């Protein structure tokens, strides 16, 4: 009747960008990510026979509105699976700074799916849990696993074959990520709205989708061989291609700020000085930098010195979902 789970967020090296079904969240391409140790959500789901609705407390504050609705709609899926009509008290602690530009929805929905199913007495395989989690937030389905994970888009219209699979565990490779946080704030185009606009109107969208299979195949070879240059350069090019689709949308948009470009240039300069570092960027202005442990001090120092950068948060690769 009560369960607690912890899940980490993840950073995509091959991006998920575009849906073919918005309701049950089916993507237009496979994606691949690294789960991050530094950023996580811990969620407790407790069932209450006497409740007439769900309660959701995030970091000690009751949540209402759209965010509450996403949680109860997701709990409805679990209730349906369990065949139980019982409401829950959901309490989450988020250790994902919103300002870091990580979707807390990835760790949030992975932890909610794990704690929710356990509280309802449902036993799911990791694959089944990933498929369920996908319906809360697409990128969250990759956070079920530690290390590197690939979300296979699947072919079916009912989503039965759309879930993530593990590619390499945490122990395989100590690849690190620096989250570079920028001071500037701007009204954000949500990933949901950004994808929709891109799919519907960007002439570059087909080029993006067609470029994925090669990127995926090569990055997986690179991960297997722990080849930083290969993995980093593919991740960087894939990110640039994703962001290029937004410039072709109608109306056009970009997630980048002036400091975003400065960070990108600084990463390139680091490489010219012999430090293997590569960037990737999600649906926001902040930049994530991939680097190796032996270069941590240099990378952190150089990134912190960039005007307009307010913080740099370092992370190792993290474990998949755990029950507490
Ligand atoms: O799952 P969402 O709605 O948070 O979308 C994530 C989209 C990107 O972060 C830009 C890419 C990705 O694969 O995580």
């Amino acid at each position: 009747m009560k369960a607690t789970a912890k899940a980490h967020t993840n950073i995509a090296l091959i991006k998920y960008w575009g849906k073919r079904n918005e309701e049950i969240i089916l993507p237009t391409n496979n994606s691949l990510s690294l789960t991050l140790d530094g950023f996580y959500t811990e969620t407790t789901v407790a069932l209450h026979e006497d409740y007439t609705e769900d309660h959701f407390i995030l970091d000690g504050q009751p949540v209402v509105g759209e965010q509450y609705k996403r949680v109860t709609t997701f709990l409805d899926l679990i209730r349906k699976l369990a065949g139980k009509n019982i409401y829950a008290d959901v309490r989450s602690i988020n250790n994902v700074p919103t300002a870091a530009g990580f979707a807390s929805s990835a760790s949030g929905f992975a932890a909610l799916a794990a704690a929710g199913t356990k509280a309802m007495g449902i036993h799911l395989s990791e694959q089944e849990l990933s498929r369920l989690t996908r319906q809360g937030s697409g990128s969250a389905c990759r956070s079920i696993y530690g290390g590197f994970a690939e979300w296979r888009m699947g072919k079916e219209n009912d989503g039965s074959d759309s879930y993530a699979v593990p590619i390499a565990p945490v122990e395989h490779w100590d690849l690190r990520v620096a989250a570079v946080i920028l001071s500037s704030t701007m009204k954000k185009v949500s990933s949901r709205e950004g994808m929709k606009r891109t799919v519907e109107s960007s002439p570059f969208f087909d080029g993006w989708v067609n470029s994925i299979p090669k990127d995926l195949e090569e990055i997986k070879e690179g991960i297997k061989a722990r080849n930083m240059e290969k993995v980093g350069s593919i991740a960087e090019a894939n990110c640039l291609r994703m962001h290029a689709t937004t410039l072709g949308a109608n109306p056009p948009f970009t997630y980048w700020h002036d400091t975003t470009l400065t960070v990108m240039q600084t990463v390139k300069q680091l490489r010219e000085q012999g430090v293997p570092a590569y960037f990737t960027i999600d649906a926001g202005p902040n930049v994530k930098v991939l680097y190796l442990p032996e270069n941590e001090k240099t990378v952190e120092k150089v990134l912190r010195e960039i005007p307009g950068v307010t913080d740099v948060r370092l992370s190792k690769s993290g474990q998949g979902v755990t029950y507490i």
Side-chain angles (χ1 to χ4, degrees):
M1 294 290 277
K2 184 175 169 183
T4 301
K6 178 178 175 181
H8 296 94
T9 190
N10 67 75
I11 179 75
L13 306 183
I14 303 296
K15 306 290 184 193
Y16 145 52
W17 194 245
K19 291 184 183 76
R20 66 182 201 274
N21 179 323
E22 291 188 34
E23 204 189 311
I24 59 169
I25 311 191
L26 296 178
T28 49
N29 66 275
N30 289 22
S31 54
L32 185 145
S33 62
L34 179 64
T35 298
L36 298 178
D37 179 57
F39 311 105
Y40 60 87
T41 304
E42 228 177 79
T43 295
T44 300
V45 175
L47 305 180
H48 290 270
E49 303 272 10
D50 55 329
Y51 275 18
T52 52
E53 60 181 13
D54 297 312
H55 295 255
F56 176 35
I57 316 268
L58 176 61
D59 294 327
Q61 300 292 328
V63 177
V64 291
E66 193 52 39
Q67 220 183 346
Y68 170 80
K69 210 169 153 253
R70 277 184 80 182
V71 167
T72 56
T73 307
F74 189 73
L75 288 170
D76 287 343
L77 291 176
I78 303 180
R79 279 187 276 266
K80 205 171 148 199
L81 267 180
K84 285 183 187 161
N85 221 347
I86 182 164
Y87 293 97
D89 181 64
V90 178
R91 282 169 200 260
S92 288
I93 303 288
N94 233 348
N95 187 29
V96 184
T98 327
F102 282 112
S104 58
S105 63
S107 53
F109 278 100
L112 180 63
T117 49
K118 190 157 187 225
M120 295 259 187
I122 314 170
H123 299 283
L124 297 183
S125 65
E126 286 186 321
Q127 203 169 86
E128 289 165 333
L129 188 61
S130 174
R131 187 166 50 207
L132 171 69
T133 304
R134 185 202 80 226
Q135 295 172 71
S137 161
S139 57
C141 79
R142 300 182 306 235
S143 276
I144 300 303
Y145 307 97
F148 296 91
E150 179 184 354
W151 175 9
R152 305 228 164 115
M153 61 180 280
K155 288 195 180 78
E156 304 297 337
N157 291 329
D158 63 359
S160 54
D161 57 352
S162 187
Y163 48 75
V165 296
I167 293 297
V170 175
E171 307 74 51
H172 173 69
W173 190 17
D174 189 6
L175 179 62
R176 304 215 176 157
V177 176
V180 185
I181 301 159
L182 313 186
S183 58
S184 37
T185 51
M186 188 174 72
K187 197 180 173 300
K188 206 178 150 204
V189 181
S190 69
S191 56
R192 184 181 300 200
E193 162 62 17
M195 282 185 213
K196 190 171 155 61
R197 205 188 294 173
T198 305
V199 173
E200 285 172 357
S201 66
S202 179
F204 306 152
F205 185 67
D206 286 346
W208 155 252
V209 169
N210 293 336
S211 75
I212 300 290
K214 187 166 173 275
D215 275 2
L216 255 181
E217 194 189 314
E218 290 183 355
I219 205 164
K220 283 194 274 190
E221 286 168 12
I223 292 167
K224 204 170 162 202
R226 301 184 196 91
N227 183 334
M228 179 65 171
E229 194 195 335
K230 190 163 179 169
V231 169
S233 54
I234 295 168
E236 212 175 88
N238 182 270
C239 151
L240 291 172
R241 239 179 278 119
M242 169 202 139
H243 286 270
T245 66
T246 71
L247 297 177
N250 183 16
F253 65 106
T254 182
Y255 288 107
W256 298 352
H257 289 186
D258 45 2
T259 314
T260 310
L261 286 161
T262 311
V263 177
M264 290 155 75
Q265 278 153 3
T266 306
V267 169
K268 199 166 165 243
Q269 282 159 10
L270 270 168
R271 282 208 294 278
E272 282 159 9
Q273 290 154 18
V275 178
Y278 298 84
F279 63 78
T280 185
I281 304 160
D282 278 341
N286 296 331
V287 182
K288 318 294 176 326
V289 180
L290 307 171
Y291 65 93
L292 295 170
E294 58 266 32
N295 300 120
E296 185 154 277
K297 283 209 169 69
T298 313
V299 169
E300 184 182 11
K301 183 171 179 287
V302 168
L303 293 174
R304 280 194 188 277
E305 279 167 1
I306 302 170
V309 168
T310 53
D311 200 6
V312 175
R313 300 277 299 258
L314 309 177
S315 181
K316 296 182 183 184
S317 93
Q319 299 291 348
V321 159
T322 49
Y323 297 93
I324 294 164

